[in-house]
Amino acid sequence: VDTGIKITPAYITYYQFLRAKIKRYVEYPNSSINGQVYLDFTLGSNGKLKMIKINEEMSSSNVILRTAALESIKKATPFPPFPDELNQDEATFKIIISFQNE
């Protein structure tokens, strides 16, 4: 899928920040359930969440994990505005949230 984003150092730095921020909000709902949820989310250049969706084919079908993954992104918002180098109105990012029994 072409998100129209050039993978630049500024993009990578911003994406790494997003992942780290979202990870802080992930709550493991039940340690006996393992799985991964693949999410696509679109942010406006101001850092506001515009769209979030689960990649149905690749994600765990477990509703508890899906809900926890969606909530982690919602709780992490808003994100900081895009760096000037991204220079676009919105961008879609992909993230995988893994729930693993430690």
Side-chain angles (χ1 to χ4, degrees):
V1 176
D2 180 18
T3 53
I5 300 171
K6 289 188 178 70
I7 307 300
T8 62
Y11 169 84
I12 292 167
T13 301
Y14 187 77
Y15 177 69
Q16 287 173 334
F17 174 83
L18 294 179
R19 285 183 35 190
K21 187 172 184 192
I22 291 166
K23 197 173 188 178
R24 290 199 300 269
Y25 289 91
V26 175
E27 292 178 19
Y28 289 79
N30 183 333
S31 61
S32 67
I33 305 171
N34 292 327
Q36 294 184 319
V37 181
Y38 291 71
L39 299 162
D40 297 341
F41 62 101
T42 302
L43 301 179
S45 61
N46 60 0
K48 287 204 173 133
L49 184 64
K50 296 179 103 175
M51 182 280 298
I52 181 171
K53 73 175 198 233
I54 293 173
N55 180 322
E56 296 292 337
E57 291 172 22
M58 296 175 72
S59 295
S60 165
S61 60
N62 187 288
V63 175
I64 295 169
L65 296 185
R66 287 172 168 235
T67 302
L70 290 168
E71 285 301 309
S72 66
I73 292 183
K74 290 176 186 169
K75 287 178 185 169
T77 60
F79 297 102
F82 292 171
D84 292 341
E85 296 91 333
L86 284 186
N87 194 21
Q88 55 194 78
D89 294 335
E90 64 179 40
T92 299
F93 300 90
K94 295 179 179 298
I95 190 168
I96 303 165
I97 298 179
S98 294
F99 297 93
Q100 241 118 34
N101 197 349
E102 298 295 321

Coordinates of all heavy atoms in Angstrom, one line a residue, residues 25-85:
Y25 N 0.9 3.0 26.3 CA -0.5 2.9 26.7 C -1.1 1.5 26.4 O -2.3 1.4 26.7 CB -1.3 4.0 25.8 CG -1.0 5.4 26.3 CD1 0.0 6.1 25.7 CD2 -1.8 6.0 27.3 CE1 0.3 7.4 26.2 CE2 -1.5 7.2 27.8 CZ -0.5 8.0 27.2 OH -0.2 9.2 27.6
V26 N -0.3 0.6 26.0 CA -0.8 -0.8 25.8 C -1.1 -1.4 27.2 O -0.1 -1.5 28.0 CB 0.1 -1.6 25.0 CG1 -0.4 -3.1 24.9 CG2 0.3 -1.0 23.6
E27 N -2.3 -1.9 27.4 CA -2.6 -2.6 28.6 C -2.9 -4.0 28.3 O -3.8 -4.3 27.5 CB -3.8 -1.9 29.3 CG -3.5 -0.6 29.9 CD -4.7 0.1 30.5 OE1 -5.6 -0.6 30.9 OE2 -4.6 1.3 30.6
Y28 N -2.2 -5.0 28.9 CA -2.4 -6.4 28.6 C -3.6 -6.8 29.4 O -3.6 -6.8 30.6 CB -1.1 -7.2 29.0 CG 0.0 -6.9 28.1 CD1 0.8 -5.8 28.2 CD2 0.3 -7.8 27.1 CE1 1.8 -5.5 27.4 CE2 1.3 -7.5 26.2 CZ 2.1 -6.4 26.3 OH 3.1 -6.1 25.5
P29 N -4.7 -7.1 28.6 CA -5.9 -7.4 29.3 C -6.0 -8.8 30.0 O -6.7 -8.9 31.0 CB -6.9 -7.4 28.1 CG -6.1 -7.7 26.9 CD -4.7 -7.2 27.2
N30 N -5.2 -9.7 29.5 CA -5.3 -11.1 30.1 C -4.0 -11.8 29.7 O -3.8 -12.0 28.5 CB -6.5 -11.8 29.6 CG -6.7 -13.2 30.2 OD1 -5.7 -13.8 30.6 ND2 -7.9 -13.6 30.2
S31 N -3.2 -12.1 30.7 CA -1.9 -12.7 30.4 C -2.0 -14.1 29.7 O -1.0 -14.6 29.2 CB -1.0 -12.8 31.6 OG -1.6 -13.6 32.6
S32 N -3.2 -14.7 29.8 CA -3.3 -16.1 29.2 C -3.6 -16.0 27.7 O -3.6 -17.0 27.0 CB -4.3 -16.9 29.9 OG -5.6 -16.3 29.6
I33 N -3.8 -14.8 27.1 CA -4.1 -14.6 25.7 C -2.9 -14.0 25.0 O -2.4 -13.0 25.4 CB -5.3 -13.7 25.5 CG1 -6.5 -14.1 26.3 CG2 -5.7 -13.6 24.0 CD1 -7.7 -13.1 26.3
N34 N -2.5 -14.7 23.9 CA -1.4 -14.2 23.1 C -1.9 -13.9 21.7 O -2.9 -14.5 21.2 CB -0.3 -15.2 23.0 CG 0.4 -15.5 24.3 OD1 0.6 -14.6 25.1 ND2 0.9 -16.7 24.5
G35 N -1.3 -12.9 21.1 CA -1.7 -12.6 19.7 C -1.2 -11.3 19.3 O -0.6 -10.5 20.1
Q36 N -1.4 -11.0 18.0 CA -0.9 -9.7 17.4 C -2.1 -9.0 16.8 O -2.9 -9.7 16.1 CB 0.2 -9.9 16.4 CG 1.5 -10.4 17.0 CD 2.6 -10.5 16.0 OE1 2.3 -11.0 14.9 NE2 3.8 -10.2 16.4
V37 N -2.1 -7.7 16.9 CA -3.1 -6.9 16.2 C -2.4 -5.9 15.3 O -1.5 -5.2 15.8 CB -4.0 -6.1 17.2 CG1 -5.1 -5.3 16.5 CG2 -4.7 -7.1 18.2
Y38 N -2.7 -5.9 14.0 CA -2.1 -5.1 13.0 C -3.1 -3.9 12.8 O -4.2 -4.1 12.4 CB -1.9 -5.8 11.7 CG -0.8 -6.9 11.8 CD1 -1.0 -8.1 12.5 CD2 0.4 -6.7 11.1 CE1 0.0 -9.0 12.5 CE2 1.4 -7.7 11.1 CZ 1.1 -8.9 11.9 OH 2.1 -9.8 11.9
L39 N -2.6 -2.7 13.0 CA -3.4 -1.5 12.9 C -2.9 -0.5 11.8 O -1.7 -0.4 11.7 CB -3.5 -0.8 14.2 CG -4.1 -1.6 15.4 CD1 -3.7 -1.0 16.7 CD2 -5.6 -1.7 15.2
D40 N -3.8 0.1 11.1 CA -3.4 1.2 10.3 C -4.1 2.4 10.9 O -5.3 2.4 11.2 CB -4.0 1.1 8.8 CG -3.4 -0.1 8.1 OD1 -2.3 -0.6 8.5 OD2 -4.0 -0.6 7.1
F41 N -3.4 3.5 11.0 CA -4.1 4.7 11.5 C -3.5 6.0 10.8 O -2.4 6.0 10.4 CB -3.9 4.9 13.0 CG -2.5 5.0 13.5 CD1 -2.0 6.3 13.9 CD2 -1.7 3.9 13.7 CE1 -0.7 6.4 14.4 CE2 -0.4 4.0 14.2 CZ 0.1 5.3 14.5
T42 N -4.5 6.9 10.6 CA -4.1 8.1 9.8 C -4.2 9.3 10.8 O -5.1 9.5 11.5 CB -5.2 8.3 8.7 OG1 -5.1 7.2 7.8 CG2 -4.8 9.6 7.9
L43 N -3.1 10.1 10.7 CA -3.0 11.3 11.5 C -3.0 12.5 10.5 O -2.5 12.5 9.4 CB -1.7 11.4 12.3 CG -1.4 10.2 13.2 CD1 -0.1 10.4 13.9 CD2 -2.5 10.2 14.3
G44 N -3.7 13.6 11.0 CA -3.5 14.9 10.3 C -2.2 15.5 10.7 O -1.5 15.1 11.6
S45 N -1.8 16.5 9.9 CA -0.4 17.1 10.1 C -0.4 17.7 11.5 O 0.7 17.9 12.1 CB -0.1 18.1 9.1 OG -1.1 19.1 9.1
N46 N -1.5 18.0 12.2 CA -1.5 18.5 13.5 C -1.4 17.5 14.6 O -1.4 17.7 15.8 CB -2.8 19.3 13.7 CG -4.1 18.4 13.6 OD1 -4.0 17.2 13.3 ND2 -5.2 19.0 13.7
G47 N -1.3 16.2 14.2 CA -1.1 15.1 15.1 C -2.4 14.5 15.6 O -2.4 13.5 16.4
K48 N -3.5 15.0 15.1 CA -4.8 14.4 15.5 C -5.2 13.2 14.8 O -4.9 13.1 13.6 CB -6.0 15.5 15.3 CG -5.9 16.6 16.4 CD -7.2 17.2 16.5 CE -7.1 18.2 17.7 NZ -7.7 19.5 17.4
L49 N -5.8 12.2 15.5 CA -6.2 10.9 14.9 C -7.4 11.1 14.0 O -8.4 11.7 14.4 CB -6.5 9.9 16.0 CG -6.9 8.5 15.6 CD1 -5.7 7.8 15.0 CD2 -7.3 7.8 16.8
K50 N -7.3 10.7 12.7 CA -8.4 10.9 11.8 C -9.1 9.6 11.5 O -10.3 9.5 11.2 CB -7.8 11.5 10.4 CG -7.3 12.9 10.6 CD -6.8 13.4 9.2 CE -7.8 14.3 8.7 NZ -7.3 15.0 7.4
M51 N -8.3 8.4 11.5 CA -8.9 7.2 11.2 C -8.0 6.1 11.8 O -6.8 6.2 11.9 CB -8.9 7.0 9.6 CG -9.5 5.7 9.1 SD -8.4 4.2 9.2 CE -7.0 4.6 8.1
I52 N -8.7 5.0 12.2 CA -7.9 3.8 12.7 C -8.7 2.6 12.3 O -9.9 2.6 12.3 CB -7.8 3.9 14.3 CG1 -7.1 2.8 14.8 CG2 -9.2 4.0 14.9 CD1 -6.7 2.9 16.3
K53 N -8.0 1.6 11.8 CA -8.6 0.4 11.5 C -7.7 -0.8 11.7 O -6.5 -0.7 11.7 CB -9.1 0.4 10.0 CG -8.1 0.3 9.0 CD -8.8 0.3 7.6 CE -7.8 -0.3 6.6 NZ -7.4 0.2 5.5
I54 N -8.4 -2.0 11.9 CA -7.6 -3.2 12.1 C -7.5 -3.9 10.8 O -8.4 -4.0 10.0 CB -8.4 -4.1 13.1 CG1 -8.5 -3.5 14.5 CG2 -7.8 -5.5 13.2 CD1 -9.3 -4.2 15.5
N55 N -6.3 -4.4 10.5 CA -6.0 -5.3 9.4 C -6.6 -6.6 9.7 O -6.1 -7.4 10.5 CB -4.6 -5.4 9.1 CG -4.3 -6.2 7.9 OD1 -4.9 -7.3 7.6 ND2 -3.3 -5.8 7.1
E56 N -7.8 -6.9 9.2 CA -8.6 -8.1 9.5 C -7.9 -9.4 9.2 O -7.9 -10.4 10.0 CB -10.0 -8.1 8.8 CG -10.9 -7.0 9.2 CD -11.4 -7.1 10.6 OE1 -11.4 -8.2 11.1 OE2 -11.8 -6.0 11.1
E57 N -7.2 -9.5 8.0 CA -6.6 -10.7 7.6 C -5.4 -11.1 8.5 O -5.2 -12.3 8.7 CB -6.1 -10.6 6.2 CG -7.2 -10.5 5.1 CD -6.7 -10.1 3.8 OE1 -5.5 -10.4 3.5 OE2 -7.5 -9.6 3.0
M58 N -4.7 -10.1 9.0 CA -3.4 -10.5 9.7 C -3.6 -10.5 11.2 O -2.7 -11.0 11.9 CB -2.3 -9.5 9.3 CG -2.0 -9.6 7.8 SD -0.8 -8.3 7.2 CE 0.7 -8.9 8.0
S59 N -4.6 -9.9 11.7 CA -4.8 -9.7 13.2 C -5.4 -10.9 13.9 O -6.2 -11.6 13.3 CB -5.6 -8.5 13.5 OG -4.9 -7.3 13.0
S60 N -5.1 -11.0 15.2 CA -5.8 -12.0 16.0 C -7.3 -11.7 15.9 O -7.7 -10.5 15.9 CB -5.3 -11.8 17.4 OG -6.2 -12.5 18.3
S61 N -8.1 -12.7 16.0 CA -9.6 -12.5 16.0 C -10.1 -12.3 17.4 O -11.3 -12.0 17.6 CB -10.3 -13.7 15.4 OG -10.0 -14.9 16.1
N62 N -9.2 -12.3 18.4 CA -9.6 -12.1 19.8 C -10.1 -10.7 20.0 O -9.4 -9.7 19.9 CB -8.5 -12.5 20.7 CG -8.9 -12.5 22.1 OD1 -9.2 -11.4 22.7 ND2 -9.1 -13.6 22.7
V63 N -11.4 -10.5 20.4 CA -12.0 -9.2 20.6 C -11.3 -8.4 21.7 O -11.1 -7.2 21.6 CB -13.5 -9.4 20.9 CG1 -14.1 -8.0 21.2 CG2 -14.2 -10.0 19.7
I64 N -10.9 -9.1 22.8 CA -10.2 -8.5 23.9 C -8.9 -7.8 23.4 O -8.6 -6.7 23.8 CB -10.0 -9.5 25.0 CG1 -11.3 -10.0 25.6 CG2 -9.1 -8.9 26.1 CD1 -11.2 -11.2 26.5
L65 N -8.1 -8.6 22.7 CA -6.8 -8.0 22.2 C -7.1 -6.9 21.2 O -6.4 -5.9 21.3 CB -6.0 -9.1 21.5 CG -5.5 -10.3 22.4 CD1 -4.6 -11.2 21.6 CD2 -4.9 -9.8 23.6
R66 N -8.1 -7.0 20.3 CA -8.4 -6.0 19.4 C -8.8 -4.7 20.1 O -8.3 -3.6 19.7 CB -9.5 -6.4 18.4 CG -9.0 -7.5 17.4 CD -10.2 -8.0 16.7 NE -9.7 -8.8 15.5 CZ -10.1 -8.5 14.3 NH1 -11.0 -7.6 14.0 NH2 -9.6 -9.3 13.3
T67 N -9.6 -4.8 21.1 CA -10.1 -3.7 21.8 C -8.9 -3.0 22.5 O -8.8 -1.8 22.5 CB -11.2 -4.1 22.8 OG1 -12.3 -4.7 22.1 CG2 -11.7 -2.9 23.6
A68 N -8.1 -3.8 23.2 CA -6.9 -3.2 23.9 C -6.0 -2.5 22.9 O -5.4 -1.4 23.3 CB -6.2 -4.4 24.6
A69 N -5.8 -3.1 21.7 CA -4.9 -2.4 20.7 C -5.5 -1.1 20.3 O -4.8 -0.1 20.2 CB -4.7 -3.4 19.6
L70 N -6.8 -1.1 20.0 CA -7.4 0.2 19.5 C -7.4 1.2 20.7 O -7.0 2.4 20.4 CB -8.9 -0.1 19.2 CG -9.1 -0.9 17.9 CD1 -10.6 -1.3 17.8 CD2 -8.7 -0.1 16.7
E71 N -7.6 0.8 21.9 CA -7.6 1.7 23.0 C -6.2 2.3 23.2 O -6.1 3.5 23.6 CB -8.0 1.0 24.3 CG -9.5 0.8 24.4 CD -10.3 2.1 24.3 OE1 -10.1 3.0 25.0 OE2 -11.3 2.2 23.4
S72 N -5.1 1.5 23.0 CA -3.8 2.1 23.2 C -3.5 3.2 22.3 O -2.9 4.2 22.7 CB -2.7 1.0 23.0 OG -2.7 0.5 21.7
I73 N -4.0 3.2 21.0 CA -3.8 4.3 20.1 C -4.6 5.5 20.5 O -4.2 6.6 20.6 CB -4.0 3.9 18.7 CG1 -3.0 2.9 18.2 CG2 -4.0 5.1 17.7 CD1 -3.1 2.5 16.8
K74 N -5.9 5.2 20.9 CA -6.8 6.3 21.3 C -6.3 7.0 22.5 O -6.3 8.3 22.6 CB -8.2 5.8 21.5 CG -8.9 5.4 20.3 CD -10.3 4.7 20.6 CE -10.9 4.2 19.4 NZ -12.1 3.3 19.7
K75 N -5.7 6.3 23.5 CA -5.2 6.9 24.7 C -3.9 7.7 24.5 O -3.6 8.6 25.2 CB -5.0 5.8 25.8 CG -6.2 5.2 26.4 CD -5.9 4.1 27.4 CE -7.2 3.5 27.9 NZ -6.9 2.2 28.6
A76 N -3.2 7.3 23.5 CA -1.9 7.9 23.2 C -2.1 9.3 22.4 O -1.2 10.1 22.3 CB -1.0 7.0 22.4
T77 N -3.3 9.5 21.9 CA -3.5 10.8 21.2 C -3.8 11.9 22.1 O -4.2 11.7 23.3 CB -4.8 10.6 20.2 OG1 -5.9 10.3 21.0 CG2 -4.6 9.5 19.2
P78 N -3.6 13.1 21.7 CA -3.1 13.5 20.4 C -1.5 13.3 20.3 O -0.9 13.3 21.3 CB -3.4 15.0 20.3 CG -3.4 15.5 21.7 CD -3.9 14.3 22.5
F79 N -1.1 13.2 19.1 CA 0.4 13.1 18.9 C 0.9 14.5 18.5 O 0.1 15.4 18.1 CB 0.6 12.1 17.7 CG 0.2 10.7 18.1 CD1 -1.0 10.2 17.6 CD2 1.0 9.9 18.9 CE1 -1.4 8.9 17.9 CE2 0.6 8.6 19.3 CZ -0.6 8.1 18.7
P80 N 2.2 14.7 18.5 CA 2.7 16.0 18.1 C 2.5 16.2 16.6 O 2.4 15.3 15.9 CB 4.2 15.9 18.5 CG 4.5 14.5 18.7 CD 3.2 13.8 19.0
P81 N 2.5 17.5 16.2 CA 2.3 17.8 14.8 C 3.5 17.2 14.0 O 4.6 16.9 14.6 CB 2.4 19.3 14.7 CG 2.1 19.8 16.1 CD 2.5 18.7 17.1
F82 N 3.3 17.0 12.7 CA 4.3 16.4 11.9 C 5.5 17.4 11.9 O 5.4 18.6 11.9 CB 3.9 16.3 10.4 CG 2.8 15.2 10.2 CD1 2.2 15.2 9.0 CD2 2.4 14.3 11.2 CE1 1.2 14.2 8.7 CE2 1.4 13.4 11.0 CZ 0.8 13.3 9.7
P83 N 6.7 16.8 11.7 CA 7.9 17.7 11.5 C 7.7 18.3 10.1 O 7.1 17.8 9.2 CB 9.1 16.7 11.5 CG 8.5 15.3 11.4 CD 7.1 15.4 11.8
D84 N 8.3 19.5 10.0 CA 8.2 20.2 8.7 C 8.6 19.4 7.5 O 8.0 19.6 6.4 CB 9.0 21.5 8.8 CG 8.4 22.5 9.8 OD1 7.2 22.4 10.1 OD2 9.2 23.4 10.2
E85 N 9.6 18.5 7.7 CA 10.1 17.7 6.6 C 9.0 16.8 6.0 O 9.1 16.4 4.8 CB 11.3 16.9 7.0 CG 12.5 17.8 7.4 CD 12.5 18.1 8.9 OE1 11.5 18.1 9.5 OE2 13.6 18.3 9.4

